[in-house]
């Protein structure tokens, strides 16, 4: 890696950290094909991971040692000897921890438990390759992968704060759920009107079946004979008629509000 490449990474780290630009830099200089594959288009999940990985690309003899407290408190999140991640359960007791760090530790614990449950479920699937077993394994493996990615993202954000005292962007790490706008009365009335219209169309066909033994009206009346089929049809007509009355009452009520 040339000095120009190193300066490019440093400039990115010290600037606004445009995610797409960072992905392009990582694509050019990293050998990690797995991360190259997952980074594009996933800013909300991997912004902190991308910064962490780009920082690692700078040769250790050039970049300064990250600041570490002389006697750090338990970090809460750290790599296990197997290379996976685990939670130190006592780490969330410090009342001085920033809110977002507490949130990281709390969610990490939740996701860790969810992944353990998923692993347990995977082991319970029969080892044969019947289609249903293969599909069940595929779904659970994908779930485990997503949970592992989230754990890694939370861990890296925590490490950046622990080592460099840089708090993560809470909105990026924990994007709020987009509220579902309530349907206004006009939209509800229109939806009910569509349902009523569809029922009226099928009711017309049922009446034709009853009177002409055909879904289309015929020139000559030909009523359906008495029997179970006629009884079932009459019950269906009654149910649809009552439902149409119910929808009509609701629509009229909404129209009065407007």
């Amino acid at each position: 890696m040339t000095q120009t490449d190193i300066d490019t990474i440093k400039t990115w780290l010290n600037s606004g950290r445009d995610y797409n630009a960072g992905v392009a830099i990582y694509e050019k200089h990293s050998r990690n094909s797995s991360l190259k594959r997952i980074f594009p288009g996933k800013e909300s999940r991997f912004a902190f991971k991308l910064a962490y990985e780009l920082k690692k690309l700078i040769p250790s003899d050039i970049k300064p040692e990250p600041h570490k407290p002389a006697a750090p408190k338990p970090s809460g999140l750290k790599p296990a000897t197997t290379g996976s991640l685990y939670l130190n359960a006592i780490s969330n007791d410090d009342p001085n921890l920033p809110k977002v760090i507490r949130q990281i530790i709390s969610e990490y614990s939740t996701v860790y438990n969810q992944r353990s449950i998923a692993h347990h479920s995977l082991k319970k699937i029969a080892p044969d390759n019947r289609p249903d077993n293969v599909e069940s394994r595929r779904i659970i493996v994908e779930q485990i992968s997503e949970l592992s990615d989230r754990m890694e993202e939370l861990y890296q954000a925590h490490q950046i704060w622990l080592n460099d005292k840089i708090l993560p962007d809470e909105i990026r790490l924990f994007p709020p759920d987009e509220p579902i706008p309530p349907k206004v009365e006009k939209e509800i009335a229109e939806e009910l009107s569509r349902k009523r219209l569809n029922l009226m169309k099928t009711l017309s066909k049922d009446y034709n079946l009853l009177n002409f033994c055909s879904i289309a009206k015929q020139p000559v009346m030909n009523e359906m004979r008495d029997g179970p089929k006629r009884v079932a049809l009459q019950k269906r007509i009654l149910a649809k008629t009552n439902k149409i009355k119910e929808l009509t009452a609701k629509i009229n009520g909404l129209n009065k509000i407007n």
Side-chain angles (χ1 to χ4, degrees):
M1 183 180 293
T2 67
Q3 184 60 45
T4 301
D5 297 332
I6 294 171
D7 290 342
T8 298
I9 296 175
K10 284 184 174 182
T11 299
W12 185 88
L13 289 169
N14 294 325
S15 65
R17 298 188 177 187
D18 179 79
Y19 186 78
N20 291 330
V23 170
I25 296 171
Y26 190 80
E27 174 72 26
K28 181 178 179 181
H29 299 295
S30 175
R31 297 180 181 178
N32 191 323
S33 58
S34 176
L35 289 179
K36 286 181 182 181
R37 188 175 62 253
I38 67 173
F39 276 156
K42 298 180 180 177
E43 180 177 2
S44 62
R45 294 189 61 186
F46 294 114
F48 294 104
K49 173 68 172 172
L50 175 62
Y52 179 81
E53 292 297 329
L54 281 171
K55 191 174 181 182
K56 284 166 56 178
L57 293 179
I58 302 176
S60 59
D61 58 337
I62 296 178
K63 62 185 177 183
E65 286 293 324
H67 170 70
K68 294 183 179 180
K73 295 183 178 181
S75 69
L77 309 175
K78 54 185 178 180
T81 55
T82 60
S84 62
L85 303 174
Y86 70 94
L87 179 72
N88 182 343
I90 65 171
S91 64
N92 210 11
D93 295 338
D94 185 357
N96 297 318
L97 284 176
K99 175 187 172 183
V100 66
I101 300 302
R102 286 177 169 276
Q103 195 172 355
I104 286 173
I105 295 172
S106 176
E107 182 173 335
Y108 187 98
S109 177
T110 299
V111 176
Y112 178 86
N113 291 332
Q114 289 174 344
R115 193 179 70 165
S116 297
I117 293 171
H119 274 297
H120 182 68
S121 299
L122 186 62
K123 292 178 182 178
K124 292 172 66 175
I125 298 175
D128 62 83
N129 288 327
R130 289 187 304 169
D132 54 337
N133 290 338
V134 172
E135 178 64 10
S136 295
R137 279 195 293 269
R138 182 190 66 78
I139 293 172
I140 295 177
V141 167
E142 287 183 358
Q143 180 187 12
I144 291 173
S145 177
E146 290 178 0
L147 293 171
S148 297
D149 287 345
R150 181 58 173 168
M151 288 171 61
E152 177 71 6
E153 181 183 18
L154 293 169
Y155 170 71
Q156 297 300 345
H158 184 274
Q159 285 297 103
I160 291 172
W161 171 78
L162 185 69
N163 294 329
D164 302 332
K165 294 306 175 189
I166 299 174
L167 284 173
D169 184 333
E170 187 172 354
I171 299 299
R172 282 187 174 183
L173 195 59
F174 302 102
D177 295 331
E178 293 185 6
I180 301 175
K183 290 184 178 179
V184 298
E185 285 80 1
K186 182 179 179 181
E187 292 176 338
I188 297 174
E190 289 175 351
E191 185 176 335
L192 294 178
S193 294
R194 285 193 295 271
K195 289 182 178 180
R196 182 177 64 176
L197 180 59
N198 289 333
L199 275 174
M200 291 172 70
K201 289 178 180 178
T202 60
L203 181 60
S204 177
K205 292 179 180 179
D206 285 345
Y207 271 120
N208 286 338
L209 280 173
L210 185 66
N211 296 322
F212 302 101
C213 290
S214 171
I215 60 172
K217 190 173 182 179
Q218 302 298 312
V220 180
M221 182 81 74
N222 180 23
E223 289 191 22
M224 182 179 292
R225 295 179 181 179
D226 291 336
K229 190 174 181 180
R230 181 183 176 92
V231 171
L233 182 58
Q234 288 175 324
K235 287 182 178 179
R236 190 167 73 194
I237 289 173
L238 179 60
K240 289 183 179 181
T241 301
N242 290 335
K243 185 63 178 178
I244 289 172
K245 290 179 180 178
E246 178 186 334
L247 290 172
T248 300
K250 289 182 178 180
I251 293 167
N252 291 338
L254 290 169
N255 288 335
K256 287 180 182 178
I257 294 176
N258 293 329

